[in-house]
Amino acid sequence: FAQMQGAVRWDVPLTLLGYRAYAAMADRKPDEAIALGQKALAMSEARRGDTYNLGFIWGTLGLAYRDGGRSDEALVAAEHSIRIMEKPGNNPEGRRFWVGHNYLTIGTVLRAQKKYAEARVTMEKGLARQRQLYGDSPTSALILLNLGQNARAAGDLPAALAYYREAAEIQV
């Protein structure tokens, strides 16, 4: 990491920190992921511009905050990432992916807060973005699965079953 300082565009080390944060989340270490994400944000404070890499860090932090039980911070981070990623810029496919993924993050936080109607609307926005980019993909199936979990938690078993069936069709 130290060798990357100054040798590349200023925002590339943010992505490295983001990937390290993802690895920490895979190891179920949300506090470590949060620390890495916050380090990346601190590095970016002196810079200007809403780059893809900065949006990536905000999205990663949203996931880490959610997994660390910091719901309010997760919502702020995911929404910030959406604002960045919805702007035109490099990597338009990655931007669209992150918008959809951040809607899923927000939706899962809202579901945990028992705001089922809001969670459904938000996750459906994420599903629309993912389908716009990939069609019926594993990511779409993941969001459909979460929509099914949300409908089940809300007590709407017919809707839950419909979402689960649609997810299963994609997975098959």
Side-chain angles (χ1 to χ4, degrees):
F1 181 77
Q3 294 83 0
M4 293 183 73
Q5 301 291 328
V8 293
R9 253 186 26 231
W10 75 268
D11 63 341
V12 172
L14 302 181
T15 302
L16 175 63
L17 288 169
Y19 287 138
R20 287 180 57 199
Y22 252 88
M25 286 188 299
D27 289 340
R28 294 198 164 111
K29 298 177 182 176
D31 292 336
E32 183 178 325
I34 290 167
L36 289 164
Q38 289 174 340
K39 179 178 181 179
L41 287 181
M43 288 175 55
S44 72
E45 283 180 359
R47 304 292 180 161
R48 296 279 185 247
D50 288 334
T51 68
Y52 173 84
N53 292 340
L54 186 57
F56 171 72
I57 287 299
W58 278 110
T60 302
L61 263 173
L63 292 168
Y65 284 138
R66 181 198 65 192
D67 292 353
R70 295 164 67 172
S71 299
D72 292 339
E73 291 165 292
L75 293 173
V76 169
E79 288 168 359
H80 198 76
S81 180
I82 289 170
R83 280 194 300 276
I84 292 170
M85 294 302 197
E86 285 197 325
K87 294 178 181 178
N90 67 319
N91 196 352
E93 293 85 10
R95 287 173 179 273
R96 192 173 296 134
F97 169 83
W98 271 103
V99 169
H101 204 14
N102 281 301
Y103 279 131
L104 175 60
T105 299
I106 293 168
T108 57
V109 169
L110 293 171
R111 179 179 67 219
Q113 295 174 341
K114 300 185 184 331
K115 297 178 182 176
Y116 304 119
E118 290 177 61
R120 179 185 49 78
V121 169
T122 303
M123 285 189 248
E124 285 177 349
K125 284 182 188 178
L127 179 61
R129 285 299 179 107
Q130 294 302 318
R131 283 185 162 158
Q132 187 180 46
L133 185 59
Y134 299 116
D136 283 336
S137 67
T139 306
S140 299
L142 173 66
I143 296 174
L144 286 162
L145 175 64
N146 275 276
L147 280 161
Q149 292 168 342
N150 185 67
R152 183 171 180 231
D156 187 350
L157 298 183
L161 184 58
Y163 286 126
Y164 289 144
R165 283 184 173 151
E166 193 172 354
E169 286 176 25
I170 293 170
Q171 290 173 329
V172 169

